Amino acid sequence: MVPCQNRIRRGARRRAYGPFGRVRKRASCGSQRGRLASRARGAGAALDLLEDSSDAVKRAAAEALGRIGDSSAVGPLLEAAGRAEGEVLTHSLVYALIEIADPRATRAGLSSLSARTRRAALIALDQMRPAVLGSDTVLPLLRSPEPLISDAASWIASRHPEWGGALSGYLAGRLGERPIAEPGDLEGQLQSFAGNPSIQALLAGTARGDSGAQARQVALEAMAGASVDEVPDGWEATIAVALGRKDTVEAALRAARGMPPPDEVLPRLDAALLGVASDPAVAESIRIRALAAGAASLGGLDPALYALAVGEVHPSGAVRDRAAAATVLSEAPLNRDQLLDLADLLPEVGPMELPRIVAAFRRSDDAEVGARFADRLSQARGLANLRADVAASATRGFPPRVRERVDALLVGEVAGLAEQNAMIDRMLDSLPPGDVVRGQAVFNSAETACMACHAIGYQGGKIGPDLTRIGQIRERRDLLEAIVYPSASFVCSFEPVVAVTADQSLNGVVLEESDTHLLLALDAESQAWLARSEIEKIRPGTVSAMPSGLAEQVSRGDLADLLAFLEATQWGPRASRR
């Protein structure tokens, strides 16, 4: 194969520079005929090699054809793109089309029966200069049933802010359908273009208007998932209005939680959130999430709202409600009596919520509160999930004897590698036989909250590794270690980081990052949006986002059942042969 590649490159080099160096501007008729003949021979050889079985040869052929620049190669390149399965080869073919820059010949690829060919033609036409692809061609393709085409059209449209008006009109038309076809697909497109001011205005107008319940829902869900660096104009008022409507209150809550932290207080939105949280006619699950969304602006909790938060933080509750309640208790200033009461709750708090609840004590310097805090913390089931820096911050104002006692508690919870291995061995020997069906129920339960972070098949969260075939790739001992000591090792791409700002230290998994911000998943339901300008340093974390202490939270029988279920999760050909 190598001689063929060398022949192609020599042909391409001859076209660019000629046999004696760079071709002069004024060449004799003989030299022009020689150059054309040489180019034809090189193009013919390269076209033949587009049929080669090796992708490497086809990539070299595409490179040569792009340099030769013969328009007769456009059709074969488009056909080759239709057959290409690898993205690297596809890139080479598309780049050759861009270099040849024959829009008329390339546009013919838009009529091909092959989605791969049409995608190649679309991308090549978009990249040619001067621009030859208009919004009238691209926008209708956003609704293509073929993901290759719709994804390419979406990518192209996102690169053309000047299409904002046309794009807004197109998406407004889709929002005006009755009923809306493929609402999930429309939500995704609106999220992709939410950085465009025209689309931001469209979302705000639709969510607060009279365009129908489904359109309002789609617009609010798009606002909830939009990646924007600051709160767009009109969104505060829009979400506040939507919170007052029964058919949009939950979507409005998600939109409120999804917005980046504003530079200043949003009084209308905060008042609307507090109104939902204080309404006893609203479901408690909605009330606690509304209270959490506005917790940062609360000056305190009245008895009714405090009782709401304490009631929803119990381990038997839904994961999202427990997380919301923990956020409220952590961020809202609590009075002395409330802190004493909250200290009594520490032994019952689950490992996922315990670090947040502990942080609620950081504003107190009361000796009695500190003593009760230390005493009840020693009884906490989730103590293994409490980081030393969180405890140190919470006890900073307490007397030295309180800080020393808490430090001693945490030192006692830190097991060395040898001790961890010995514990795993003892548990493996003592666990009873597990049941897969019961184990699935444990996995799906609110108490363990595994589904909140991990996916199996098409269901579950995305914060932790996918467990669809974990039984194929991990041994029983590894699975038990991950449950009992989740910080012993980390899966690639799910390593925790610690982001330090002037007033807090946050441990989590990076969900999104850009030049302007960092989005961390703190647990199954809580996220932190941090501006890069506020972050003093970022370092690798040593504590998993998965809470420790699960082995103490469930019975040995449940633990054995969960282990059996995870061992049975297998997928694909290898699993079918077992």
Side-chain angles (χ1 to χ4, degrees):
M1 297 301 177
V2 174
C4 294
Q5 293 184 43
N6 289 340
R7 184 172 68 250
I8 293 169
R9 295 180 186 279
R10 283 197 297 272
R13 198 178 296 119
R14 188 176 296 117
R15 184 262 172 182
Y17 298 100
F20 304 107
R22 186 174 297 275
V23 177
R24 295 180 180 177
K25 214 170 187 182
R26 294 182 180 178
S28 67
C29 292
S31 65
Q32 288 178 3
R33 284 194 297 270
R35 186 181 66 180
L36 291 172
S38 175
R39 185 172 70 174
R41 287 194 300 272
L47 288 171
D48 291 340
L49 292 173
L50 285 177
E51 305 289 337
D52 196 277
S53 60
S54 167
D55 278 5
V57 172
K58 285 184 278 195
R59 290 198 303 270
E63 179 185 348
L65 290 168
R67 291 183 179 181
I68 292 170
D70 192 332
S71 294
S72 65
V74 170
L77 286 167
L78 288 168
E79 291 176 8
R83 299 188 299 269
E85 295 184 359
E87 289 301 310
V88 175
L89 174 58
T90 299
H91 172 81
S92 297
L93 296 166
V94 171
Y95 191 74
L97 292 169
I98 296 168
E99 284 191 304
I100 294 171
D102 186 334
R104 182 176 178 182
T106 305
R107 194 176 288 275
L110 298 178
S111 303
S112 172
L113 295 176
S114 167
R116 292 180 182 277
T117 296
R118 298 201 302 277
R119 180 180 68 158
L122 267 176
I123 296 173
L125 288 168
D126 175 64
Q127 297 290 299
M128 290 178 188
R129 295 294 177 267
V132 295
L133 199 62
S135 60
D136 56 336
T137 300
V138 176
L139 297 186
L141 298 178
L142 292 171
R143 300 191 67 174
S144 171
E146 297 169 290
L148 281 174
I149 302 302
S150 59
D151 289 350
S154 180
W155 177 78
I156 291 170
S158 68
R159 299 178 61 256
H160 290 275
E162 72 276 12
W163 291 358
L167 186 60
S168 176
Y170 164 79
L171 293 173
R174 288 205 60 189
L175 282 167
E177 295 174 349
R178 298 291 184 274
I180 294 174
E182 300 178 346
D185 174 65
L186 179 56
E187 284 175 21
Q189 291 177 1
L190 288 164
Q191 289 174 10
S192 298
F193 304 128
N196 187 297
S198 298
I199 305 304
Q200 293 172 359
L202 171 65
L203 290 172
T206 302
R208 69 169 176 262
D210 297 320
S211 50
Q214 188 185 25
R216 291 197 295 271
Q217 286 276 358
V218 168
L220 286 165
E221 295 293 357
M223 293 165 73
S227 180
V228 291
D229 292 336
E230 57 185 27
V231 181
D233 291 342
W235 281 25
E236 178 196 5
T238 293
I239 296 173
V241 169
L243 285 167
R245 286 175 161 159
K246 290 184 179 181
D247 64 341
T248 56
V249 61
E250 292 206 62
L253 271 178
R254 286 188 285 273
R257 291 186 61 192
M259 287 197 305
D263 294 332
E264 54 188 24
V265 175
L266 302 177
R268 184 171 179 180
L269 179 58
D270 289 340
L273 289 166
L274 185 59
V276 173
S278 303
D279 187 351
V282 176
E284 289 184 344
S285 175
I286 295 176
R287 291 176 62 198
I288 192 62
R289 283 182 283 141
L291 192 59
S297 64
L298 292 173
L301 290 178
D302 64 35
L305 293 178
Y306 173 76
L308 171 68
V310 167
E312 293 299 315
V313 83
H314 195 273
S316 62
V319 176
R320 65 179 181 180
D321 298 340
R322 284 155 40 192
T327 296
V328 171
L329 293 169
S330 172
E331 296 188 7
L334 304 180
N335 61 40
R336 182 176 183 276
D337 290 340
Q338 289 171 338
L339 287 173
L340 288 169
D341 180 75
L342 189 61
D344 288 336
L345 193 67
L346 291 175
E348 302 175 29
V349 174
M352 190 179 296
E353 293 77 40
L354 183 65
R356 292 291 190 88
I357 300 299
V358 165
F361 293 85
R362 67 188 182 277
R363 300 185 184 92
S364 176
D365 59 1
D366 186 281
E368 184 181 355
V369 171
R372 188 176 299 188
F373 168 78
D375 180 65
R376 301 301 189 269
L377 185 64
S378 67
Q379 306 166 35
R381 292 185 299 168
L383 189 57
N385 202 46
L386 183 61
R387 290 178 9 236
D389 60 327
V390 173
S393 175
T395 58
R396 187 173 294 131
F398 293 141
R401 63 181 180 277
V402 172
R403 298 199 302 270
E404 291 167 2
R405 185 178 180 191
V406 172
D407 289 345
L409 285 175
L410 296 182
V411 169
E413 285 294 319
V414 178
L417 181 60
E419 185 180 343
Q420 289 183 7
N421 288 332
M423 172 65 78
I424 295 297
D425 290 337
R426 289 195 296 271
M427 294 182 73
L428 283 171
D429 292 339
S430 63
L431 283 176
D435 179 85
V436 173
V437 176
R438 291 197 304 264
Q440 184 174 19
V442 175
F443 185 88
N444 295 338
S445 69
E447 188 175 16
T448 62
C450 302
M451 281 281 286
C453 295
H454 299 280
I456 288 185
Y458 301 105
Q459 294 185 325
K462 303 297 183 184
I463 297 173
D466 189 302
L467 303 182
T468 302
R469 61 186 189 96
I470 193 67
Q472 270 180 241
I473 59 178
R474 291 288 185 270
E475 300 294 333
R476 177 179 175 85
R477 193 182 198 286
D478 297 332
L479 293 172
L480 183 59
E481 181 186 65
I483 294 171
V484 179
Y485 297 114
S487 297
S489 61
F490 304 122
V491 175
C492 183
S493 300
F494 293 95
E495 301 92 339
V497 300
V498 176
V500 180
T501 67
D503 56 359
Q504 61 182 336
S505 173
L506 297 175
N507 182 86
V509 176
V510 177
L511 291 181
E512 177 184 308
E513 58 181 324
S514 71
D515 293 338
T516 59
H517 73 274
L518 185 72
L519 182 63
L520 289 182
L522 306 179
D523 53 45
E525 286 293 322
S526 303
Q527 299 176 1
W529 191 103
L530 301 172
R532 289 278 187 187
S533 58
E534 298 175 355
I535 300 175
E536 295 180 353
K537 63 179 177 179
I538 300 175
R539 55 181 171 81
T542 58
V543 178
S544 172
M546 175 176 168
S548 301
L550 184 60
E552 288 74 33
Q553 188 174 348
V554 301
S555 69
R556 287 304 172 95
D558 285 348
L559 185 59
D561 293 338
L562 176 60
L563 195 58
F565 172 67
L566 293 174
E567 285 184 284
T569 53
Q570 300 172 1
W571 196 266
R574 286 182 57 196
S576 65
R577 292 197 298 268
R578 293 183 178 234

